[in-house]
Structure formats: structure tokens, C-alpha cells
Amino acid sequence: MLNASPHRGATDAETGLWLTERLGGAGANYHMPVPVRLRGPLDRARLAAACDAVVARHPALASRFEERDGAPVRLDAPAPRLEDGDDPDAAIREPFDLATGPLCRFTLHDQGPDGHLLLVVAHHLVFDGLSKDILLRDLAAAYRGEPLEAPVAAAQEQPPAEPDMAAAEAFWKERDARLDEVVLFGRTIAAPARPEAAGSVPVDLSRAAAAAERGGVSRFEATLAALHAVLRAHGNPDAAVAVDVSTRDDATAQTIGLFVNELPVPAGPADTFRDLGELLREEMRALRPFRQVPYARAVGGLRPRAALAPVSLSYRRRIDPPSFDGLDATVEWAPFLGMVRGVAHLLVVEGPDGTEAHLRHNTRLLDAAGARALADEVTGLLAAAADDPDA
């Protein structure tokens, strides 16, 4: 039986994703799996209790979205419990019912003697990149028998204050960027209307740190500058790169949920890599006051599509692998579901032990050879910038 607790209105980010899901065709694209391989004498009862503790601490994991008066509201759903599984791929791709929930599941898969796969799958409506770190940190602590903090306060579950829409509209009106198409290898490619089958190639960002240090910017800004520079070389002087921007504040910093907004980041003229990096740094700072406002709401008139721009970038820093008592834990931080929303998406996960980067590409619009060449161009540009950021 569903909990009849008071509902809360969906945030702008939740509403936008809910509407996109309602359009159909997303498949498992908004499923966010967190695979954790555990080796050693696993105590299943302790793990089940730890999963229960995490759900109690983070109510978003036991929620659902119901339509009322044409808009989604968030309600409580039955709490997900740890279940045994036999097919990890099926567990990842099994559809979520947004109206009945819950929008998270925990399954445990045996993988030989003393080997186990804990698979947490959450819908993006209640989960984002940083939520992975929070979930794993709390799950490991609960498994070790450590008490978790009190459940997320009701104030943290409320939508943010209504942003200054007039200011956001004025801000984006000054920034005209091409979002519908991109030129790659001499071809003009339109952004697809919905997620499609994708391939993935690794990207070597080993010189990004040196390029960032010599250019006086962060690794994220250096990577974004390299991606912009490559797009310009292909004939895209006014293209914007869609970037996942965190909307978290002090109240939501340790809360599982959807606290991210995809925004276009254009780049004006620049003569050197250093100039381009500094320009993008200032652009990111300038858009920060408006990061809560969905771009489509601020500008209006956008053609419905899954991706804001043909080319996008996700960049996040992760924690150390979690410490489960008596177990060796290995986390797959960037699992690939075989789909992409745009033409090309650069996914970067930076950790204490190194950086993992992949270029996910729409196989219908950009073949594997083109994706490999594009990835190599980003790598080569970062290497050149590391040698001379003023070139």
C-alpha cells in the first residue's frame, strides 16, 4: 500500500526530466546503475540492513511521481529492499514505473566463491552523479555498523526558492549559441530527438592536469576548453557545449536526489588556449546565479529533444572506493548502457587514483572511427596546451 504522506511539488529539474520520460523513447537512458563488486565473506543480513538504513536516511530512494493537475508531484513509495538477482543486465534495464515507484532497487548477484555483485539502480529523477558517492559512503558505513546521520530534513526536500526568471531570461538572451546541429568531419549533423544506440571509446586525459596548471585553470575548464577548440577546428565557431552543472547548496550537499541542470556553455573568440580557458572560467562563474533555471524555461521555443546540444560534457570528482568491513570492494564508476542522448558526450570521472574518461557517440550519426579521431583530437590538444598554453 502506498504511503499517503503529504506530497511536494517537483523541482524544475525533476519536472523537465519527468516530461522527457513521458515523451517516450528514453528506454534505460535515465537509469543510473552503481555496480559494486564485493569479494570476501559477505554478511547478507548486514548488507540488507545497510540498504534499509540508507533508504531511511534518503527518502528520495523511496519515492514516486504522480501527475496532478497536469504537473508532477513527489510522493512516498514502498521502500526498496535488497533482493537476490541472477541477471545484472536485466536488473539495470527493467523499467521503473514513475507513478508507483520506488525509483531505486538493490539486487545482489553471486559471482563465484566469495564473489558478489551488489547492483544499485536508481532513476535519474531521484539520483545524480554525486548521489553515487553519498550512497556508497553511507552504505559502507552502515555495513560497518556505524550510525548514519538523521534522515534528510523536510526543508531539504522542498523545491528551491523561485529564481529570478527575468534576470535569467536577460542573461541567456545575450548569449546566442547554436544548439540544433554540429559540424564534424565536414558533415552537418542535427541533434537527435531522442536517445539512440551508442558506442564508447576511451579518452586519454593524462595531460589535462599539466594543461590546466600551465593555463591557470581547473582540469574541468581545461577539458572544456579542449573540447571547444576541437569543435572550432571542425567549423563550429558559435557552438555551445552542454554541461552538467550542479545545483547543490549547503543544505543539499549530502542529499541523494536530482541536483543537476544541463546548461549550454558558449565560448567567444580567443587567440590562445590560455585565453580560451580563462574565458570559459568567467562564463561558468557568470551563469552560476542562474544554474537552477532550466535553459528551456528561460528562453522558450526550443524544439523538444533529449539532449540540450549535440555535444555535451559531464565532469565530476569521486570519492575513494568505499570500505566495507572485511570485504574488498571495487566500484564501476562509469557504467555504459549503450545509449546516448546527443551526437557525442564526453564523460569524465576524476578520482584520487586517476581519471577515467569516455566519449559516448551516437553510432548512427558518428561512427567508431570518427569518435576515435575526435577523442584523439581532444587528447592531442591537451598535450599541446600542456607544452605551450599560449599557442
Side-chain angles (χ1 to χ4, degrees):
M1 181 175 180
L2 296 177
N3 193 318
S5 64
H7 69 268
R8 75 147 172 83
T11 65
D12 282 336
E14 291 167 348
T15 299
L17 201 149
W18 178 83
L19 287 171
T20 301
E21 188 74 274
R22 291 287 293 269
L23 290 174
N29 190 66
Y30 291 119
H31 295 189
M32 300 188 70
V34 186
V36 186
R37 287 176 172 78
L38 301 168
R39 185 159 296 281
L42 174 71
D43 186 328
R44 191 192 185 286
R46 282 174 63 189
L47 184 60
C51 293
D52 292 344
V54 170
V55 173
R57 160 86 177 112
H58 299 283
L61 298 177
S63 63
R64 61 192 180 95
F65 285 79
E66 186 176 287
E67 182 177 353
R68 295 190 178 179
D69 298 323
V73 297
R74 208 182 90 179
L75 295 151
D76 290 343
R81 308 296 298 272
L82 179 65
E83 298 180 358
D84 293 321
D86 54 12
D87 186 346
D89 187 64
I92 291 174
R93 297 185 180 279
E94 181 183 351
F96 286 101
D97 188 324
L98 304 187
T100 61
L103 303 183
C104 176
R105 49 180 167 261
F106 300 84
T107 54
L108 185 64
H109 307 258
D110 286 333
Q111 294 192 322
D114 285 338
H116 312 272
L117 172 66
L118 171 63
L119 182 59
V120 185
V121 185
H123 195 284
H124 197 17
L125 263 171
V126 297
F127 211 72
D128 60 12
L130 186 57
S131 293
K132 294 182 180 182
D133 301 58
I134 298 169
L135 180 142
L136 291 173
R137 179 204 62 200
D138 286 357
L139 190 62
Y143 186 82
R144 296 193 301 266
E146 300 170 10
L148 301 185
E149 295 182 18
V152 174
Q156 293 170 285
E157 287 294 290
Q158 298 302 314
E162 183 69 16
D164 186 342
M165 287 302 301
E169 291 169 5
F171 175 81
W172 290 114
K173 188 175 181 180
E174 296 175 353
R175 288 160 171 78
D176 185 22
R178 183 156 50 93
L179 298 175
D180 289 328
E181 59 188 25
V182 65
V183 178
L184 292 174
F185 305 103
R187 295 172 50 228
T188 299
I189 306 173
R194 59 186 57 194
E196 295 185 14
S200 181
V201 298
V203 185
D204 179 6
L205 298 184
S206 58
R207 300 299 304 278
E213 183 177 359
R214 294 208 62 195
V217 295
S218 69
R219 296 181 188 182
F220 158 73
E221 290 158 350
T223 304
L224 179 58
L227 191 54
H228 259 293
V230 166
L231 291 179
R232 286 188 180 186
H234 279 266
N236 301 278
D238 57 350
V241 173
V243 175
D244 288 335
V245 178
S246 174
T247 61
R248 292 175 182 268
D249 55 21
D250 291 342
T252 55
Q254 301 302 321
T255 303
I256 286 177
L258 176 58
F259 300 101
V260 66
N261 188 14
E262 189 178 43
L263 294 173
V265 180
D271 293 326
T272 69
F273 182 85
R274 186 192 304 277
D275 292 341
L276 183 57
E278 292 176 351
L279 186 154
L280 289 167
R281 165 172 283 188
E282 293 306 312
E283 186 67 13
M284 293 300 300
R285 289 175 175 172
L287 66 78
R288 182 172 176 78
F290 314 107
R291 69 190 191 280
Q292 297 279 3
V293 182
Y295 182 73
R297 185 179 174 195
V299 302
L302 289 185
R303 176 174 60 86
R305 57 180 179 267
L308 180 62
V311 178
S312 55
L313 169 66
S314 296
Y315 195 114
R316 77 176 193 89
R317 295 172 180 84
R318 64 166 175 80
I319 60 171
D320 282 317
S323 175
F324 288 84
D325 187 26
L327 300 171
D328 178 38
T330 304
V331 180
E332 188 177 349
W333 294 102
F336 179 44
L337 300 185
M339 298 184 74
V340 69
R341 292 183 293 120
V343 177
H345 176 70
L346 178 57
L347 172 66
V348 184
V349 182
E350 179 186 317
D353 52 354
T355 298
E356 181 180 359
H358 307 270
L359 185 69
R360 303 307 169 46
H361 63 100
N362 184 308
T363 52
R364 179 177 66 86
L365 302 173
L366 181 66
D367 63 18
R372 178 69 271 161
L374 201 63
D376 289 344
E377 289 170 7
V378 172
T379 297
L381 199 142
L382 285 168
D387 293 334
D388 183 7
D390 295 308

